[in-house]
Amino acid sequence: DTGVSQNPRHKITKRGQNVTFRCDPISEHNRLYWYRQTLGQGPEFLTYFQNEAQLEKSRLLSDRFSAERPKGSFSTLEIQRTEQGDSAMYLCASSFGPEAFFGQGTRLTVV
Amino acid sequence: TQLLEQSPQFLSIQEGENLTVYCNSSSVFSSLQWYRQEPGEGPVLLVTVVTGGEVKKLKRLTFQFGDARKDSSLHITAAQPGDTGLYLCAGEHGTSYGKLTFGQGTILTVHP
C-alpha cells in the first residue's frame, strides 16, 4: 500500500455543476477524514468517518456537500451546484491511531 | 472553536541559518502533529508529540511540546534550500476522534 490516494488530482468545473471526488485510504485505517484548504490557510475539518459511519460533520459542510464511505473502505465527497467559493484543495486523510496521513489532494477550480 | 496560532507566517532566510516556528493555543491538546506541505501536494507528517515537555529530533529538526500541552515549537538547524515549504502544526483533542485543528502555517523559504 502506497498511502492515501485521491482522484482526480485536479478538477475544473463550471459554476452550478456537480463534482465528486474519491479517496482511497491506507487499507488498515478505520478512520477517514475530509479537509478543505484554501490558499494561505491551514486545512479545515469537514467530516469524519469511523469505518462506514459518518460520525461528525463540520458546520462548513453545507447541504450541497455530501460524503459517503459505503463499505468502510474508499470514500466519496460530492459537491452539488458548485459555487466559486468552493474552489479549494480538498484533502483526505486516514488514521488508525493518533497519526493522520494525508493524500495529495484534489484541487477544485470553479469557473 | 479551538484555535492554533502559528508564527511567524512567513520566514525567508539564508542557507545555514537556524530558525524556530511557534504554535500556540489556549486549549490543551492530547497530541500535536507537525506537517510539511509543498505546493499542490498534501501535508506530509513529520512528527507527533503526545507528552507535555516532550522533545523529538528528526535530523536537523527539533520539535518540542509545551509542559501544559498548549504550545509547541519546531527548530531547524542549519537550514537548507530543501527545507523550503509550508510548515503546519495541528492539534488533536482527546475526544475529537483524531480530528485535527490546524494552524495557518508558516511559509519557509531558504535561499542558497
Side-chain angles (χ1 to χ4, degrees):
Chain A
D1 188 59
T2 56
V4 179
S5 176
Q6 290 189 246
N7 288 287
R9 292 290 311 277
H10 304 275
K11 179 70 177 179
I12 300 175
T13 191
K14 291 184 178 180
R15 189 175 50 186
Q17 297 294 306
N18 300 342
V19 294
T20 300
F21 310 140
R22 177 179 170 123
C23 171
D24 287 273
I26 295 171
S27 58
E28 62 267 27
H29 287 184
N30 60 341
R31 296 176 177 174
L32 185 148
Y33 313 84
W34 285 97
Y35 290 82
R36 181 172 67 187
Q37 184 178 26
T38 53
L39 202 61
Q41 300 296 320
E44 296 174 294
F45 171 80
L46 293 179
T47 190
Y48 155 67
F49 290 85
Q50 179 144 338
N51 300 312
E52 67 275 9
Q54 187 175 19
L55 296 184
E56 187 171 348
K57 292 171 62 173
S58 164
R59 286 170 293 180
L60 293 174
L61 215 62
S62 75
D63 54 9
R64 295 184 298 106
F65 288 70
S66 62
E68 295 181 343
R69 194 183 182 197
K71 297 182 180 179
S73 57
F74 73 92
S75 176
T76 58
L77 177 67
E78 180 184 15
I79 309 175
Q80 296 182 326
R81 306 181 303 281
T82 52
E83 303 173 356
Q84 286 187 320
D86 296 332
S87 295
M89 173 79 93
Y90 289 84
L91 294 163
C92 175
S94 70
S95 73
F96 185 72
E99 298 178 333
F101 296 89
F102 282 80
Q104 294 176 303
T106 295
R107 167 72 66 189
L108 172 67
T109 303
V110 182
V111 298
Chain B
T1 302
Q2 298 99 356
L3 296 176
L4 265 177
E5 294 185 3
Q6 259 186 265
S7 62
Q9 192 173 352
F10 301 96
L11 201 50
S12 180
I13 62 172
Q14 294 297 125
E15 183 176 3
E17 293 184 6
N18 301 333
L19 66 113
T20 302
V21 177
Y22 299 94
C23 183
N24 295 289
S25 175
S26 57
S27 302
V28 175
F29 292 102
S30 59
S31 69
L32 194 137
Q33 302 178 24
W34 284 91
Y35 290 85
R36 178 168 171 266
Q37 186 177 23
E38 298 199 27
E41 302 292 328
V44 175
L45 180 66
L46 296 174
V47 78
T48 301
V49 286
V50 296
T51 305
E54 182 176 6
V55 176
K56 281 192 175 179
K57 293 192 175 183
L58 185 67
K59 297 183 179 178
R60 293 177 292 102
L61 279 59
T62 301
F63 305 86
Q64 186 163 8
F65 202 13
D67 291 340
R69 292 186 289 134
K70 292 182 179 181
D71 57 271
S72 182
S73 64
L74 158 61
H75 182 78
I76 302 179
T77 303
Q80 299 176 1
D83 296 327
T84 294
L86 174 67
Y87 289 82
L88 294 159
C89 64
E92 179 197 356
H93 297 274
T95 58
S96 63
Y97 316 110
K99 179 179 75 175
L100 295 174
T101 300
F102 279 86
Q104 68 183 120
T106 296
I107 298 174
L108 171 65
T109 304
V110 182
H111 301 279

